[in-house]
């Protein structure tokens, strides 16, 4: 590899191992048809990828995210929590020949708490002291 190119990249990506991962990922992207952001100058894909990182025409953070995404086999999707299911309308109904009165729960309210509020509350908790009986 071009030593000058590698040393130019160390300013942008401090860890050499991470630089190798990012440059190899970008080289694979180039070989699969991704457009170049600099002139090729008769260089091979790994050198072009290093020059792109050195000249900051591609973002190392974007390459890192794309590399991580390409290696994931299962991507967990954060879906919003479903709203509470409405209760069955309150009315008297018959069950097996006997009339059953349902309780009017329309006045019951539940506290709503966001996940962030819950985590903040948990951080403020102090664990109970252990009592060792030994």
């Amino acid at each position: 590899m071009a030593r000058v190119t590698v040393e130019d990249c160390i300013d942008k990506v401090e860890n050499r191992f991470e630089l190798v991962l990012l440059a190899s990922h970008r080289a694979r992207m180039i070989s699969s048809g991704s457009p170049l952001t600099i002139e090729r100058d008769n260089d091979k894909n790994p050198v072009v990828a290093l020059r792109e990182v050195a000249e900051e025409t591609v973002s190392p953070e974007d390459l890192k995210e794309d590399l991580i995404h390409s290696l994931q086999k299962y991507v967990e999707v954060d879906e919003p929590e479903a709203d509470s299911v409405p209760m069955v309308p309150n009315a008297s109904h018959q069950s097996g020949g006997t009339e059953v009165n349902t309780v009017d729960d329309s006045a019951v309210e539940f506290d709503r708490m966001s996940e962030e509020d819950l985590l903040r509350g948990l951080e403020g908790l102090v664990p109970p002291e252990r009592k060792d009986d030994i």
Side-chain angles (χ1 to χ4, degrees):
M1 268 190 221
R3 181 174 306 241
V4 175
T5 307
V6 172
E7 295 194 6
D8 293 339
C9 293
I10 293 300
D11 300 339
K12 284 65 173 183
V13 182
E14 294 178 8
N15 186 333
R16 286 179 186 255
F17 179 73
E18 186 175 344
L19 174 63
V20 169
L21 289 176
L22 296 180
S24 64
H25 178 67
R26 178 64 183 148
R28 283 191 296 275
M29 289 172 59
I30 293 170
S31 68
S32 66
S34 181
L36 300 176
T37 59
I38 60 171
E39 293 296 319
R40 182 174 283 278
D41 292 336
N42 204 23
D43 290 328
K44 295 186 179 181
N45 292 342
V47 176
V48 171
L50 285 169
R51 286 181 41 223
E52 286 178 336
V53 171
E55 295 177 19
E56 296 180 338
T57 59
V58 294
S59 166
E61 290 302 315
D62 291 343
L63 280 176
K64 187 175 184 178
E65 288 297 319
D66 192 44
L67 174 63
I68 291 169
H69 182 71
S70 72
L71 295 174
Q72 287 178 334
K73 293 185 176 157
Y74 173 76
V75 178
E76 184 176 322
V77 178
D78 257 353
E79 294 181 7
E81 293 181 14
D83 291 336
S84 61
V85 179
M87 298 181 130
V88 178
N90 296 323
S92 297
H93 63 277
Q94 290 196 353
S95 173
T98 60
E99 187 174 317
V100 177
N101 289 327
T102 58
V103 177
D104 183 17
D105 289 342
S106 60
V108 175
E109 292 184 22
F110 294 97
D111 291 334
R112 293 279 182 194
M113 180 182 287
S114 69
E115 186 176 353
E116 290 81 19
D117 292 337
L118 177 64
L119 290 174
R120 254 186 264 117
L122 289 174
E123 287 174 354
L125 290 178
V126 178
E129 293 183 27
R130 288 184 66 180
K131 294 182 180 178
D132 293 330
D133 294 326
I134 301 175

